[in-house]
Amino acid sequence: MKFPRHLLSIGDLSRESATALLDTAAELARISDGQIKKLPTLRGRTVVNLFFEDSTRTRISFETAAKRLSADVINFVAKGSSVSKGESLKDTALTLQAMGADAVIIRHHASGAPQRLADAGWIAGPVINAGDGTHEHPTQALLDAFTIRHHLAKDRGTLDGLEIAIVGDILHSRVARSNIFLLSMLGAKVTVIAPATLLPVGIESWPCSISYDLDDSIEKFDAIMALRIQRERMEQAFFPSEREYSRHYGLNGDRLSRLKSGAILLHPGPMNRGVEIDAKSADSVRSVIVDQVTNGVFVRMAVLYLLLSGSPANLAEEVKG
Amino acid sequence: MTRIVLAREEISRAVRRISHEILERNKGADSLLLLGIPTRGVLLAQRIQAEIAAIEGKEVALGSLDITLHRDDLRLRAPRPLHRTEIPTGGIEGRDVVLIDDVFFSGRTIRAALDALGELGRPATVQLAVLIDRGHRELPIRADFVGKNLPTSRSEQVKVQLEPIDSEDGVVLEG
């Protein structure tokens, strides 16, 4: 099995490497649960958080993961930095390389920016996509898959046959895109549920079914993931009003009571309580939203460990035992 | 060239002798904690536990210690997934820990294991049991219990095969 050099999209992973990554994260979770809080694995390596878009939780999650593996972390936030003075991505990358960055975690508002960074050869180390435009957010999908596997498929390794719904703004959501590809690769049956205005063109060719009605089939799902409705979308008339969206697609007490026994609710955060999910659902025993945050650290530790161990020369080498 | 160094019966004799030596050195089984290093060290640890149970009639504590995250050659090798670390409840504090591995070579695995133990607590003593000591130490580390001392050249490979991971028990020298 091979691990990719960079993690830019779910397409970089195979079913085997994704499973090995989730297994590694599970082992990291197990040992971190005991006495070991800090591991020496990445001592002396420098990881840069290059964030062109605000995202406190993703940045903190990566930072925590890197620090638990003893890496040094540099946070480069575009706001108030040289970028706001007009520096190009290339010059920023060359600067980071000159400072000795061993890996770059990038969040960018433009789809494809991490790909550009990885392909251009400005940076020697691995590039990890922490969300780019409306393209992908692979570590979020990995932590969602990890959380679903932990709750519904303990130690089974696959999500074969699980019914998973992703509800909301599929059109603008990189979280949805990464999740559809990863969850289906791991064997789950994914259904996207949204108003037609929030579905991307060409979604028929994606590995998922499409539904416009949440109430139609809510009883069949093992996991339901509600996506954040971003405020700016509400002003662009993708749906008539917040209340109407909430009535048709929001998770609420009534829908909660119709769920299959053992079903779980996910949300990538930050939540708009009362829009895509109400307080009763978010705080119910079904909700694994807090677990998602905890698991995010373990998944990102696994990503950093697997991408940063090994030098470029032997990355192509097969992994044994 | 391939040569069989230890056959099935010789492995079980070596394991039995090591088990007696561990009991003798530690004056019984009460404070012992056997920690196998994955993957085949764990199988050896299970066998030593079974031998000790047969001799003393007591089940000694058993666990596994994956040292991957503590290796000093992570940058030189392809990335590898982790093995299981399983520390019995009660931890290692104050115990007589016996690390168990199949082949003792450079000593770097054991150095990493000592580092990993340091993260978990402070054992009373740490001892080392290995099935094969093939020499070529790169660090000042020695084994307390050895199944067989096997002089080798660096270019040779020692393969320990143990059931049920392998189809049959045996130690083979290749190269």
Side-chain angles (χ1 to χ4, degrees), chain A residues 3 24 27-28 30-31 35-36 38-41 45 305-306 309-311 314-315 317 319 321, chain B residues 66 68-70 74-87 91-92 116 119-120:
Chain A
F3 284 103
T24 299
E27 188 55 31
L28 286 165
R30 269 179 15 87
I31 58 182
Q35 294 125 314
I36 303 177
K38 193 154 176 136
L39 293 155
T41 314
R45 321 294 297 275
Y305 160 65
L306 291 169
S309 63
S311 61
N314 57 35
L315 275 172
E317 199 184 303
V319 179
Chain B
D66 179 42
T68 310
L69 294 167
H70 296 266
L74 284 173
R75 274 204 235 194
L76 308 175
R77 306 242 197 159
R80 42 176 87 197
L82 304 182
H83 296 292
R84 231 173 150 71
T85 293
E86 199 87 59
I87 304 297
I92 65 167
E119 303 279 341
L120 290 167

Side-chain angles (χ1 to χ4, degrees), chain A residues 10 15 145 159-162 164 166 177-190 206-209:
Chain A
I10 292 302
R15 184 174 165 126
L159 304 180
D160 283 336
L162 289 179
I164 299 172
I166 303 178
R177 189 177 298 241
S178 290
N179 262 306
I180 290 166
F181 291 113
L182 179 65
L183 296 174
S184 60
M185 183 164 76
L186 294 173
K189 290 184 209 151
V190 181
W206 294 15
C208 59
S209 335

